[in-house]
Amino acid sequence: EPVLPPQWAFGLWISSNGWNCDREVDAQLHALKLYDYPASVMVLEQWSDERTFYLWHPEHWSDPANTVLRIRNAGLHLVLWQIPVIKHQWDDSPGETLQDDTMEAIQRGYVVRRGDGSPYRITERWFHHSLLPDFTNPEAVDWWFGKRKYLLDMGVDGFKTDGGEFLFEKAARLADGTSGLRAHNLYPGQYIGAYHEFLRQNGVEGVTFSRAGYSGAQTQPIHWAGDQTSEWSELQAQLQAGLSAGLSGILFWSFDIGGFAGPIPEAELYLRATAMGCFCPVMQWHSEPRGGQFAGGQEETYNNDRSPWNLANKLGDERVLTISCAFAHLRESLRPYLWKEAQACVREGRPLMAHLCLDFSGDERAWSTHDEYMLGREFLVAPIVMPGKTGRHVYLPHGQWRNYFTGSIHVGPCEIWTDCPLDRTLVYQREVTL
């Protein structure tokens, strides 16, 4: 059955991925207040010791409990990044805790095994040679989350459950007898589902925020599109990805506004992405750390923060801040509608971001329109995802439609041209019998 995230999940999310830690958190909290920017969730990615992924990094966080408290007192819910691995340290300095975890997990059978019974190790790329916890083993699940229970006690509200696509060996075996061939696609759901159950069992009305998935992904609350660079082609791909995710059964989906990596986005790209994000199931911005996989900048002074205030400063364009803040307030005003529609989505098994064919199944033009979508049952959204465009043609199916920003009325089916400056997006509201 589809799972309904808590109401706060449909607010605006911000994500921090730097190493200044306490100082960076306080800077973002200060900026949110200074610019009257309404946000609901803060995601911390590089919070852990990068060995165990369950202990706060002792050199970068002087008082983690106080940090969590400051975030919550600012009215934000805290989500922490996770990865399903027992990490292999190639620098030969794993530390005592990781060494003990590795030995215990192997000896007690808490990890995925190879066909010959030896521990399976990730065979390529990301987290190469690391162990994979076996979430079909109840004892392994208890062991894994026993080390993370204190995070919930501190006030953490959810987990960004990254990864999950690491099971490559066909002959591997899980504790329940599943082969690696079959479990490759099942594993993400086992992993994310275990985190969702962990929250539920501890009475936390929180979320998992995930990238990998398979059939049944709608039983875990939210997914996002993965890492994107700041290019127009990526924004265009995210529109297609959101539609595809919905058609695949994923009810609640998100993307990183303006991309999260590479050279910082130009103002037009960032604002068009902000406009689309405002009318998506989850609105969020996120950034890669300095010297990450796309290497947007390595020097100590480089700041890849994709907040509107940082980008306005780096681009020398005040519009980035003022327009972004206006969209953030618009998003806040949409939360009652999004919550109502999210509940309907769960009841009906319908994606919140839906291809037009789902609502207008008898309309051939709706079936072939792949750059518009319904956000809930009332709003038709036609984002601009091409550079230099000051407007676009919009197809409106049968019904009466009102331009959300101008109030003009149109009767469909029809195709219209509408101008769209950077401080707007193209949204049309229709009357719906609920």
Side-chain angles (χ1 to χ4, degrees), residues 106-158:
I106 292 174
Q107 291 178 347
R108 296 193 176 187
Y110 293 162
V111 296
V112 175
R113 300 277 181 172
R114 304 185 66 193
D116 61 7
S118 62
Y120 166 77
R121 291 184 178 273
I122 298 172
T123 55
E124 56 186 272
R125 300 176 184 171
W126 201 27
F127 290 104
H128 178 210
H129 210 61
S130 296
L131 298 166
L132 207 59
D134 187 344
F135 291 100
T136 71
N137 182 341
E139 293 182 359
V141 170
D142 290 343
W143 176 79
W144 184 265
F145 290 111
K147 299 178 181 298
R148 291 159 173 80
K149 171 64 165 58
Y150 84 100
L151 297 171
L152 302 186
D153 297 337
M154 294 173 72
V156 172
D157 288 307

Side-chain angles (χ1 to χ4, degrees), residues 180-244:
L181 177 62
R182 184 166 181 267
H184 173 73
N185 285 332
L186 296 177
Y187 188 86
Q190 296 168 350
Y191 148 54
I192 300 165
Y195 271 82
H196 179 69
E197 184 66 11
F198 171 53
L199 293 168
R200 189 195 66 80
Q201 288 181 347
N202 285 278
V204 177
E205 190 181 11
V207 294
T208 53
F209 189 40
S210 314
R211 178 170 52 78
Y214 185 58
S215 178
Q218 77 281 358
T219 61
Q220 292 101 38
I222 303 174
H223 288 73
W224 97 98
D227 299 343
Q228 309 119 46
T229 53
S230 297
E231 303 174 45
W232 285 98
S233 60
E234 290 281 83
L235 179 58
Q236 295 153 22
Q238 296 322 305
L239 175 55
Q240 300 303 305
L243 294 175
S244 297

Side-chain angles (χ1 to χ4, degrees), residues 407-419:
S408 61
I409 303 296
H410 307 272
V411 178
C414 64
E415 181 178 288
I416 59 172
W417 169 272
T418 305
D419 293 329

Side-chain angles (χ1 to χ4, degrees), residues 198-373:
F198 171 53
L199 293 168
R200 189 195 66 80
Q201 288 181 347
N202 285 278
V204 177
E205 190 181 11
V207 294
T208 53
F209 189 40
S210 314
R211 178 170 52 78
Y214 185 58
S215 178
Q218 77 281 358
T219 61
Q220 292 101 38
I222 303 174
H223 288 73
W224 97 98
D227 299 343
Q228 309 119 46
T229 53
S230 297
E231 303 174 45
W232 285 98
S233 60
E234 290 281 83
L235 179 58
Q236 295 153 22
Q238 296 322 305
L239 175 55
Q240 300 303 305
L243 294 175
S244 297
L247 291 172
S248 299
I250 294 174
L251 272 58
F252 308 111
W253 173 91
S254 176
F255 73 104
D256 298 333
I257 289 174
F260 103 125
I264 63 170
E266 59 187 87
E268 183 188 8
L269 170 59
Y270 187 78
L271 291 176
R272 290 304 193 194
T274 297
M276 177 172 152
C278 182
F279 286 89
C280 271
V282 174
M283 182 183 185
Q284 62 132 2
W285 46 259
H286 174 38
S287 56
E288 184 180 49
R290 181 172 53 245
Q293 61 180 316
F294 294 106
Q298 301 276 355
E299 67 275 14
E300 186 64 27
T301 59
Y302 180 78
N303 185 350
N304 191 45
D305 175 19
R306 302 303 169 98
S307 67
W309 34 90
N310 184 59
L311 290 182
N313 180 61
K314 291 179 76 70
L315 295 171
D317 192 335
E318 191 67 19
R319 297 175 306 164
V320 172
L321 178 57
T322 57
I323 294 175
S324 292
C325 286
F327 273 116
H329 280 276
L330 173 55
R331 175 69 181 200
E332 189 71 6
S333 72
L334 291 173
R335 286 179 63 180
Y337 168 78
L338 293 171
W339 177 240
K340 177 192 69 175
E341 291 303 302
Q343 294 175 79
C345 287
V346 170
R347 289 195 305 268
E348 301 170 10
R350 177 190 187 279
L352 186 54
M353 179 179 178
H355 193 287
L356 298 187
C357 69
L358 295 180
D359 287 290
F360 307 97
S361 58
D363 185 336
E364 292 185 6
R365 178 69 182 273
W367 280 83
S368 61
T369 300
H370 306 308
D371 59 354
E372 303 175 14
Y373 57 88

Side-chain angles (χ1 to χ4, degrees), residues 47-120:
W47 65 276
S48 74
D49 61 357
E50 298 299 307
R51 297 290 191 270
T52 67
F53 301 113
Y54 62 81
L55 296 175
W56 292 79
H57 198 299
E59 296 179 9
H60 301 291
W61 303 94
S62 59
D63 187 353
N66 185 263
T67 297
V68 176
L69 183 61
R70 294 199 311 279
I71 292 170
R72 292 178 66 88
N73 286 344
L76 294 165
H77 296 267
L78 177 59
V79 171
L80 297 181
W81 186 85
Q82 286 284 270
I83 195 75
V85 302
I86 301 171
K87 189 177 181 180
H88 177 78
Q89 281 299 123
W90 290 98
D91 61 7
D92 294 323
S93 58
E96 184 177 348
T97 301
L98 179 55
Q99 286 180 314
D100 291 344
D101 287 348
T102 300
M103 182 178 301
E104 184 177 9
I106 292 174
Q107 291 178 347
R108 296 193 176 187
Y110 293 162
V111 296
V112 175
R113 300 277 181 172
R114 304 185 66 193
D116 61 7
S118 62
Y120 166 77

